[in-house]
Amino acid sequence: MMNFRPALGLSIAFGVLLYSQAARAQAATPPSGYFDIPSGFDFPADKQVLEQYRSQANVPAQRTHVWNVFAGMTQPTPDGKLARFETWFSEDDTFDPGASALSPRTTITMPRFQLPNQFRSSGPGFGPTAAPEAPGSAVLSFVLYNFAGYNHVRTNKLYERATLNALMRSGAPDAKIPRDRTVPSFPAGAVVLKTVWWPVAKDKISAMPIWDPELNPAQATGNPISTWARYIGVDPTRPTVPAGETADIVYDGQTKRASHIVDLKRFHSMVLDQNAVNGINSDGVLASVAQKSFGRPLAVGDYAVLVATHLTTKEIDDWVWATFWWHDKPDDGPFAANRLATVSGPWRNYLMSASYDLNLPKSNDNSPHVAFNPWLEARFPDGGHGSGVVSNCMNCHNRASWPEINFLPVNRGEPDLTGDAAYAARRLRTDFLWSIPDLVSQQ
């Protein structure tokens, strides 16, 4: 079984390889040290089978497939040190036009943590409707591409502004919105993974908010994590915390009475090295996460624990969308359903929601399907289209296009092809991926 907690003083290695631009354009096989989802985990699945799950709103089959993919990507690498997805390519590697060449796995680096794009309130394409950063709502994040997704971006030069502008003028018409152009469609084996992390002190209990829908009814102003009703404490100083243990903990100067205490091994975690600590502590917004959680700046040897992830695969034309979040009661409720035995170790502590369609299966009130991650979308206020807790990830990503445009409003159901500027004539559809316009616009 994989040891998900690294040895003391060692950082989890993210062996991301940087090729020269020419080599990347001609890449046909993954580099050594890279590990994709292995065979036996229903990936990539037969497109027609998945479309049948979609048209029939077969939720158990949809969820079983997603759990299979999740189990595959979290399988250990042959040396047992990493989960397979940790060998994938960062956005920096995927979209940097001039990345330098390195020998395979000779340079071991931590990822560069950032504020998720969903939390940005300024920058290219982000107008006055973007939700401002709420106090105490920051999280640490980075995005990974598997080789199929990475290679598609590099081969088609989707990291270049000139390429996108040329495609916008003379690219192929989009299949669903013929007045728009589109980037080349990603291959069926492509996977994009957004990860969300929370800091944990190496020497004390750290406070962490927990999303309980029944305790956090949708608010017109949004449900940022600073408003969540319940907190737990993560204790890395003991290998095992007795089940049901509680204690008073402090978050942002406020005492949270009788909070559930859990040990670190219930999470997938990494040990932060000096570069990661410097990067986080130098960013005032990111640094505030540690200050609120355990009352001091991050230090080398502190941990980052995985609290959420968005997973999307190009197995169907509209991509399969799934989202996961950690919970201290992972076997309760509908989001635990259909979890497979192959999901093992700390990965069994994650809940999941999935979306194969803009509308199906319908919600209890017969409205379009809801699928969101509380760590990323709950913060969005009601802008007249419903708040983040009743949004749909597919509807949001359907709007992704070039030139960059505000990702808000989040919504669900069919897109507004006449009133939404994201669907104006002669825009370039970016195959559901916001990272293409967002990162290229920053060059």
Side-chain angles (χ1 to χ4, degrees):
M1 179 176 293
M2 180 176 181
N3 179 11
F4 289 87
R5 182 177 180 179
L8 184 62
L10 296 178
S11 298
I12 283 191
F14 279 70
V16 178
L17 306 177
L18 300 179
Y19 281 3
S20 68
Q21 188 169 334
R24 281 172 160 173
Q26 300 171 8
T29 58
S32 61
Y34 167 87
F35 297 95
D36 214 327
I37 296 169
S39 61
F41 290 91
D42 195 29
F43 179 82
D46 185 283
K47 175 182 173 180
Q48 291 184 333
V49 172
L50 296 185
E51 288 288 4
Q52 186 178 51
Y53 296 164
R54 172 179 176 170
S55 63
Q56 296 176 351
N58 187 341
V59 174
Q62 292 178 12
R63 292 182 59 83
T64 296
H65 172 66
V66 168
W67 280 123
N68 243 323
V69 177
F70 184 70
M73 77 177 198
T74 57
Q75 291 296 301
T77 54
D79 62 8
K81 294 181 179 179
L82 303 172
R84 284 176 171 250
F85 74 84
E86 291 177 307
T87 69
W88 297 0
F89 299 89
S90 72
E91 283 185 324
D92 290 341
D93 302 316
T94 306
F95 286 91
D96 180 4
S100 58
L102 296 175
S103 299
R105 297 193 68 80
T106 58
T107 299
I108 304 300
T109 60
M110 297 289 289
R112 182 169 67 91
F113 291 98
Q114 303 178 77
L115 196 68
N117 289 344
Q118 288 99 321
F119 286 54
R120 286 175 52 195
S121 58
S122 63
F126 286 77
T129 58
E133 174 56 37
S137 291
V139 290
L140 314 177
S141 179
F142 58 85
V143 175
L144 299 173
Y145 279 65
N146 78 336
F147 182 76
Y150 159 88
N151 191 48
H152 185 78
V153 171
R154 302 308 303 184
T155 300
N156 290 284
K157 296 188 176 181
L158 299 181
Y159 52 85
E160 290 186 349
R161 184 181 293 263
T163 299
L164 301 188
N165 287 337
L167 288 170
M168 186 170 61
R169 293 189 300 269
S170 57
D174 184 75
K176 294 184 178 180
I177 311 173
R179 64 173 181 260
D180 284 356
R181 298 296 185 253
T182 185
V183 300
S185 180
F186 278 71
V191 183
V192 183
L193 192 70
K194 172 172 285 198
T195 62
V196 180
W197 305 78
W198 189 260
V200 170
K202 59 187 174 183
D203 55 358
K204 63 172 71 174
I205 293 176
S206 300
M208 190 180 87
I210 291 292
W211 175 255
D212 297 312
E214 67 278 7
L215 299 180
N216 297 280
Q219 302 294 320
T221 54
N223 295 69
I225 60 177
S226 57
T227 68
W228 294 3
R230 191 166 68 90
Y231 287 72
I232 66 162
V234 184
D235 185 355
T237 67
R238 292 178 287 168
T240 302
V241 172
E245 179 176 315
T246 63
D248 293 348
I249 60 175
V250 176
Y251 178 79
D252 195 20
Q254 298 181 355
T255 300
K256 308 295 181 180
R257 304 290 183 188
S259 296
H260 185 198
I261 308 300
V262 300
D263 51 61
L264 187 68
K265 68 175 179 293
R266 290 190 61 181
F267 292 87
H268 179 66
S269 66
M270 68 175 74
V271 178
L272 297 175
D273 64 12
Q274 189 67 65
N275 286 336
V277 167
N278 290 345
I280 295 170
N281 285 343
S282 64
D283 184 308
V285 175
L286 294 182
S288 70
V289 187
Q291 287 285 356
K292 293 177 186 298
S293 178
F294 47 84
R296 62 163 172 78
L298 279 169
V300 174
D302 286 339
Y303 300 91
V305 299
L306 185 68
V307 292
T309 184
H310 275 330
L311 166 68
T312 184
T313 72
K314 187 61 179 184
E315 296 169 286
I316 60 176
D317 292 343
D318 293 342
W319 299 71
V320 171
W321 302 88
T323 192
F324 302 80
W325 61 97
W326 190 95
H327 205 278
D328 60 331
K329 301 175 183 177
D331 297 323
D332 296 348
F335 300 116
N338 311 108
R339 190 189 293 118
L340 302 173
T342 48
V343 178
S344 60
W347 303 109
R348 297 197 66 79
N349 293 295
Y350 294 83
L351 300 174
M352 181 264 286
S353 181
S355 179
Y356 287 52
D357 191 82
L358 289 164
N359 298 293
L360 300 175
K362 292 292 183 71
S363 299
N364 292 335
D365 61 358
N366 204 38
S367 61
H369 184 53
V370 172
F372 77 100
N373 192 301
W375 286 91
L376 292 168
E377 285 84 39
R379 67 189 300 269
F380 294 134
D382 187 344
H385 301 271
S387 65
V389 299
V390 290
S391 61
N392 179 287
C393 45
M394 186 178 288
N395 181 289
C396 172
H397 281 265
N398 197 59
R399 301 178 66 251
S401 52
W402 173 264
E404 188 183 30
I405 195 168
N406 197 324
F407 66 90
L408 293 176
V410 294
N411 203 353
R412 55 181 165 147
E414 294 297 327
D416 179 4
L417 299 182
T418 58
D420 189 338
Y423 302 103
R426 303 293 289 192
R427 288 186 64 80
L428 179 67
R429 317 313 305 172
T430 53
D431 202 3
F432 289 82
L433 298 183
W434 283 109
S435 52
I436 295 175
D438 178 61
L439 294 171
V440 174
S441 70
Q442 296 177 37
Q443 295 176 7

